[in-house]
Amino acid sequence: MIREMRAAIFDLDGVIVDTAKYHYLAWKRLAKEYGFDFTETDNERLKGVSRVRSLEILLEIGSLNLDESEKEKMAAQKNEWYIDYIRHMDASEILPGSAEYLKTIRTKGIKTALGSASKNAPLILERLGISDLFDVIVDGNKVGKAKPDPEVFLRAANELNIPAAHCVVFEDAEAGIQAALRANMGVVGIGKPALLSEADIVIGGLWQLMVLSGE
Ligand code: G6P
Ligand code: MG
């Protein structure tokens, strides 16, 4: 299907900024505390998934069955470590071409939104100084259902007042690609084609679109 892109919806972690590595480090540290290993391959399952759901997957990997209060403690601990990693971030950690691509499409009249599961998105955008590049911000504080549920993207389209058929999602996670497809939006995968085969097209990073547009 050929669609006119009137709105572009961006995931945050792994698309705009490389916070995926900090999420991984914090989860790995937590797994270690509980006596099991957590690999990069395991981590693919957590990408794009909410904090609570991520913890459930982690516990499944470690074959642990814990009560709710212990789980709450673990999620809070992970987030504390994660914030320690991200609090020193600055604009140098914006992934290549991301800010440029956002600026370019905005000059062409395309609306932009953030569609992220992260509750830390406002802090990250503020650290990077790029909040102004988004017309609308939908993050983990605003939505109840985690990707692959399409809620986050549908809400962004709704707030932008652009029909889903004219939205294109930029995603690095399998769960996010499924969410975009369920929302009936176009989807550009960012990362390795083998892991993101359901996307309409897969690129290595937004910098590649800048190369193609010749800007
Ligand atoms: C993003 C990341 C996930 C993360 C989720 C929640 O979608 O890809 O790895 O678990 O956000 O992030 P938070 O910052 O709220 O823990
Ligand atoms: Mg992501």
Side-chain angles (χ1 to χ4, degrees), residues 1-16:
M1 170 187 173
I2 295 181
R3 69 178 82 222
E4 179 208 355
M5 177 168 82
R6 288 170 49 199
I9 307 176
F10 298 85
D11 172 51
L12 177 65
D13 297 303
V15 171
I16 303 289

